[in-house]
Structures are given as C-alpha cells and as structure tokens.
Amino acid sequence: MIKLIFFAVFTRSFAWAVIMGLAYAGLGTAFIYFLRRLDQRDDRERPEVPTYRPAGTDKVKFRWEYFPLVILLILIVWGEPIVVLLS
C-alpha cells in the first residue's frame, strides 16, 4: 500500500500506481511464502523425541528456496530503479 501511495504521488498516474502497487504486493507475498517454506522442517528431519544439542553442531543444508528468495529480494530492493530506467 505504501508503494502504491508513493507511485501515485510521484508519477501522478493512478493506473501506473495501482499496477506497481500490485506488483510489489505480489513480490512481498511471494517472499513471505518462500520464507515460511524455509522455516518448515520435513517430517523425516523431525525426530520422535526431541534432542537438544549445541547450536554449532547443526549442519546447514542447501534448500532450493534460496534461489527464488534471492531473486525476489533483488526485485524488491532494486525493482524501482530498474523500472525507472526501463521507462
């Protein structure tokens, strides 16, 4: 909603502001979706009885969700200058 207001004020075009506001809302929603997927653990990773170990013993496994998160973060942060350069 904030991006929509900024675009409406600076471009003075309500249609362009709505389009860009919806685009950023979609990017933000997709970013939250992939963050939630990273937060979930598979059932096979979850032990029957919880064990507590020091934090340093946990291994980080590569997850495919990292790729869309990086792309979405770049678009959220640098999307506005890219759109301005292309228009």
Side-chain angles (χ1 to χ4, degrees):
M1 190 67 169
I2 293 171
K3 284 286 191 181
L4 186 139
I5 293 169
F6 280 144
F7 273 104
V9 169
F10 291 116
T11 63
R12 295 185 181 138
S13 170
F14 184 71
W16 183 248
V18 169
I19 291 169
M20 292 306 294
L22 289 174
Y24 275 99
L27 289 172
T29 303
F31 192 80
I32 297 294
Y33 170 76
F34 285 111
L35 278 179
R36 285 190 180 168
R37 283 190 55 93
L38 279 177
D39 197 32
Q40 296 173 354
R41 296 178 87 182
D42 294 335
D43 288 334
R44 63 180 186 271
E45 293 177 4
R46 197 173 296 139
E48 277 300 313
V49 178
T51 57
Y52 299 101
R53 299 176 298 191
T57 59
D58 291 336
K59 292 182 180 178
V60 177
K61 292 191 326 186
F62 180 77
R63 309 263 320 248
W64 68 268
E65 287 91 352
Y66 294 138
F67 282 122
L69 274 173
V70 169
I71 292 169
L72 288 168
L73 183 64
I74 290 170
L75 287 175
I76 290 171
V77 173
W78 294 103
E80 196 170 337
I82 291 170
V83 169
V84 169
L85 288 174
L86 293 177
S87 62

